[in-house]
C-alpha cells in the first residue's frame, strides 16, 4: 500500500522536479544565460578560467565571449566592429564555426562540452552555483547570533 502511495506521489511531483532541471549545451546556447544562439568559433584557455568565443546565428553578426571561471560565468557581447579590433591572444580559432551542441574541447584536466557529461566544466559550474545559492547567506536574519 505504501509503495503504491509513493508511486502516485512520484507521478504527481516528477514533472515539477524535471522542470527545475536546466538544459545545458542545447538549442545553440551553452547555458540559458547566453544572450543569443551562436556557433563556437574559438577557445581561449587561461589559468583558472576558459573562454569560449561565440558568433551569433543570424543577421546581427554579434560576438560573445563566454568566460567560465571557478564556479562563475560571464557573457560579454561585442559588435562585429568591436570584435574585429580585439586581439585574441592565445586563442584557438575554429573555422567554420561548430554548433554548440557538437562542440568539445579538452586541455589537461579541463573538459568543455556536452559529451563530457558531469565532467564538463559548465556542468560543474552549474552544480556548484546552484549549491551555493541554496545555502543561507552569512549574517542573514534567519541565523541567530550566539552571545559570548
Amino acid at each position: 500500500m505504501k509503495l503504491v502511495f509513493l508511486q502516485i506521489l512520484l507521478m504527481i511531483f516528477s514533472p515539477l522536479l524535471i522542470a527545475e532541471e536546466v538544459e545545458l549545451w542545447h538549442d545553440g546556447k551553452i547555458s540559458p544565460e547566453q544572450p543569443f544562439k551562436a556557433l563556437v568559433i574559438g577557445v581561449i584557455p587561461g589559468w583558472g578560467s576558459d573562454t569560449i568565443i561565440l558568433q551569433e546565428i543570424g543577421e546581427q553578426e554579434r560576438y560573445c565571449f563566454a568566460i567560465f571561471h571557478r564556479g562563475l560565468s560571464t557573457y560579454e557581447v561585442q559588435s562585429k566592429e568591436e570584435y574585429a579590433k580585439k586581439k585574441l591572444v592565445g586563442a584557438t580559432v575554429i573555422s567554420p564555426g561548430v554548433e554548440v551542441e557538437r562542440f568539445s574541447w579538452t586541455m589537461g584536466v579541463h573538459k568543455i562540452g556536452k559529451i563530457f557529461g558531469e565532467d564538463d566544466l559548465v556542468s560543474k559550474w552549474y552544480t556548484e552555483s546552484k549549491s551555493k545559492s541554496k545555502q543561507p547567506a552569512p549574517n542573514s536574519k534567519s541565523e541567530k547570533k550566539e552571545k559570548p
Side-chain angles (χ1 to χ4, degrees):
M1 184 70 170
K2 288 181 183 179
L3 182 60
V4 173
F5 180 71
L6 286 173
Q7 288 175 332
I8 293 170
L9 283 176
L10 278 174
M11 287 172 51
I12 293 169
F13 291 107
S14 63
L16 297 174
L17 296 173
I18 293 169
E20 190 177 325
E21 196 172 306
V22 175
E23 203 160 359
L24 304 173
W25 302 101
H26 176 72
D27 196 28
K29 290 187 171 188
I30 298 170
S31 74
E33 289 79 17
Q34 184 177 317
F36 47 75
K37 293 180 182 184
L39 295 174
V40 177
I41 60 165
V43 179
I44 305 172
W47 291 98
S49 68
D50 295 304
T51 302
I52 300 172
I53 307 168
L54 303 159
Q55 181 179 18
E56 184 173 18
I57 298 171
E59 296 178 17
Q60 290 193 0
E61 294 190 52
R62 292 181 294 176
Y63 293 83
C64 183
F65 290 83
I67 304 163
F68 298 95
H69 175 75
R70 294 187 185 189
L72 302 170
S73 74
T74 56
Y75 290 93
E76 297 174 3
V77 177
Q78 295 187 345
S79 68
K80 183 179 180 179
E81 294 77 22
E82 291 170 320
Y83 179 77
K85 293 176 186 175
K86 189 151 181 108
K87 293 182 182 181
L88 301 175
V89 178
T92 300
V93 179
I94 303 166
S95 182
V98 177
E99 294 173 354
V100 166
E101 296 83 358
R102 297 181 57 226
F103 172 74
S104 65
W105 179 78
T106 61
M107 184 172 191
V109 296
H110 299 273
K111 297 177 182 175
I112 299 175
K114 187 176 188 171
I115 67 165
F116 298 113
E118 292 177 0
D119 290 334
D120 165 46
L121 183 67
V122 178
S123 298
K124 286 180 180 180
W125 165 75
Y126 251 86
T127 304
E128 191 176 309
S129 67
K130 280 189 174 187
S131 66
K132 284 181 181 178
S133 68
K134 289 180 182 178
Q135 295 174 358
N139 297 328
S140 67
K141 290 181 181 179
S142 62
E143 292 180 5
K144 291 182 180 178
K145 292 183 181 180
E146 293 182 21
K147 293 182 180 178

